[in-house]
Each structure stands twice: as structure tokens, then as C-alpha cells.
Amino acid sequence: MLYDKPFTKDNLDLYLKELAKEFRKQNGKNMPAEIILIGGASVVINYGFREMTYDMDAIISAASSMKDAINVIGNKYNLPYGWLNTDFMNTESYTPRIIQYSKYYRTYSNVISYRTITGEYLVAMKLMAGRLYKYDLSDVVGILMEQEKSGNPLDLDMIKKAVVDLYDSYDNIPDNSKAFIEKIIEKGNYEEIYNNIRQEEIDNKEILLEFQEEYPESINKDNVNEIINNIRKRQNK
């Protein structure tokens, strides 16, 4: 889901803490829950190159009353309905194996344990999504950049293994994602590349908005990257 109100490291932690308090208030201290934060939320929590995200996707293992607790916190802080959601589980990037490769983040109110995705597994998920109009590919570069700066660089073999761990085969990620990651790692100048890719994604979103105005209801998840690439080819001629 995409909302107009951004989630930052500070307010995200506040909402997660408040959600745990509300869940405990409704269910008591003997009903624990686990939430794995996916995508943009994991990027914001674990890395510094992005200050905010508009996506709050998660894998939620909890009693059904968690939905009520989410809505209470949403109303309290004027967040959109479904501000924390499991829509991601309907995408190609989802696999139940994400759970075993997630990392502990923190526990609030002794009742909700939060986990995130980091490193090569977050890169693998972003490559599987491979959307040219979102921050998937710039996130990949940003993660590579910060991992290198921290002294824990990711190489292609590590990323390929993570893809296999999550999705069975390296060949299962989109061709454009494979070409992208191989080229980026070969170049290695992540900081410079990051800004260029980020701007391309912003431009691609504008391309889609203009195309959508001219051809309403013609864009879907299967053709969106092809539309962007075809328009860019025409523009570059």
C-alpha cells in the first residue's frame, strides 16, 4: 500500500511501541505476537540512506484481534486505514522462508516481537520485486553501499545464495534484476550509482503517470516494466 504520510525511523518505532501496548491492553500479557517488517520499513530501520518509507508491509503472526489494535493506533495517530498490512503476502516477493531468514529487532510491552530483513536477503527480495518505478533497485544499491561502508560487503555469490534460499533458483528473479545486480557489483561505485538510479525511478514514475492519463487502466504488474523500457527507448532515440 502507498500512503501520503511517511514513516520515519522515529515515528515508526513510536507506532510499533504503541501497537504493542494496545495489543497487550486488549489481550493481556499471555498472548504474544510476532511481526516481521518487510521492504521499506526494514530499509528505514536498518540503513541510513533512506529517511522514510510510505510502505508498512509485514508478516503478522498474531491473534485476529491484532487488526483491531492496528486500527486503534491508526485512529489515535491519524494514520490511513491498514497502515500496517499484509498485502505484501500476495506479491511474487513473498515466500514463507522469509521468516527463517529474518532478524530480531526488538520487543515492546513484553508481548510483540518485531523482526526485520537485512543484508543479502533484503537485496534478494528487492531484486525479485524489481519494480523500475519504485525504490527497489536504488534500495539494492543503498544496501550494498552501506554494507560496504560498515565493513560487511555483499558479493554476488552471497546474493545468489540468498535468492536460492528464498526462491529456489537465481533464474527465478526477473531478467532485468539479474542484469542489474551483476552490472552494479562489477562497477562497484555504489554511492555515485545510487543517486542516478534513484532519479531514474522518480522519472519512471512520472512516465507511468503520463501514460496512465493517456491510456487509462492499461497498466498492470505484468507489463509495467516493459512500458517504462519501451518509452525510455523511444525517448533516447
Side-chain angles (χ1 to χ4, degrees):
M1 283 189 177
L2 183 63
Y3 302 124
D4 292 332
K5 189 169 185 176
F7 297 97
T8 66
K9 178 66 165 62
D10 291 336
N11 69 25
L12 191 153
D13 281 337
L14 169 64
Y15 302 147
L16 298 181
K17 183 177 182 179
E18 289 291 294
L19 177 61
K21 288 169 60 177
E22 179 61 31
F23 186 75
R24 176 167 175 153
K25 178 181 176 182
Q26 292 186 16
N27 299 279
K29 63 181 181 180
N30 296 319
M31 189 175 289
E34 182 179 85
I35 294 178
I36 302 174
L37 299 168
I38 305 298
S42 273
V43 172
V44 169
I45 287 172
N46 292 293
Y47 299 96
F49 63 90
R50 269 182 68 179
E51 296 180 352
M52 64 185 68
T53 183
Y54 293 89
D55 298 303
M56 277 290 285
D57 295 316
I59 300 172
I60 300 175
S61 300
S64 59
S65 57
M66 179 62 77
K67 291 183 180 180
D68 294 331
I70 290 171
N71 291 337
V72 168
I73 300 307
N75 291 334
K76 180 177 180 180
Y77 290 97
N78 195 31
L79 302 173
Y81 180 79
W83 63 274
L84 180 65
N85 65 82
T86 58
D87 292 354
F88 157 81
M89 295 176 70
N90 296 319
T91 71
E92 293 179 353
S93 296
Y94 171 72
T95 165
R97 299 177 200 170
I98 290 169
I99 297 171
Q100 72 185 87
Y101 295 107
S102 63
K103 291 187 177 182
Y104 176 76
Y105 177 48
R106 58 182 51 176
T107 299
Y108 284 122
S109 296
N110 291 319
V111 68
I112 298 183
S113 294
Y114 294 100
R115 301 179 68 84
T116 64
I117 309 297
T118 63
E120 61 268 36
Y121 291 96
L122 187 51
V123 169
M125 293 176 66
K126 290 288 184 177
L127 291 174
M128 177 58 85
R131 295 164 296 185
L132 302 180
Y133 61 100
K134 281 205 162 187
Y135 293 148
D136 291 328
L137 299 185
S138 63
D139 280 348
V140 166
V141 181
I143 293 167
L144 292 173
M145 177 175 65
E146 290 206 13
Q147 291 277 159
E148 186 174 72
K149 287 181 179 179
S150 70
N152 297 295
L154 302 178
D155 60 34
L156 186 58
D157 287 339
M158 295 169 68
I159 292 168
K160 284 183 175 181
K161 180 182 181 302
V163 171
V164 171
D165 287 341
L166 294 179
Y167 305 113
D168 293 323
S169 170
Y170 181 61
D171 289 333
N172 285 336
I173 64 173
D175 289 340
N176 71 288
S177 290
K178 286 188 287 186
F180 176 82
I181 191 63
E182 291 166 11
K183 181 179 180 181
I184 292 301
I185 287 186
E186 182 180 356
K187 286 188 173 181
N189 190 4
Y190 301 134
E191 195 158 355
E192 179 180 340
I193 293 172
Y194 174 79
N195 294 323
N196 293 335
I197 298 299
R198 184 72 176 266
Q199 186 58 54
E200 281 185 15
E201 290 166 335
I202 293 171
D203 294 342
N204 288 341
K205 188 171 183 179
E206 289 298 318
I207 286 173
L208 284 181
L209 290 173
E210 292 177 5
F211 186 88
Q212 181 67 27
E213 286 185 8
E214 188 171 356
Y215 305 99
E217 300 181 4
S218 59
I219 300 174
N220 59 59
K221 67 181 181 67
D222 295 321
N223 66 17
V224 60
N225 282 356
E226 182 180 1
I227 289 171
I228 291 171
N229 286 328
N230 287 339
I231 293 175
R232 279 196 169 274
K233 285 178 183 177
R234 292 201 300 269
Q235 291 176 342
N236 293 331
K237 283 185 178 179

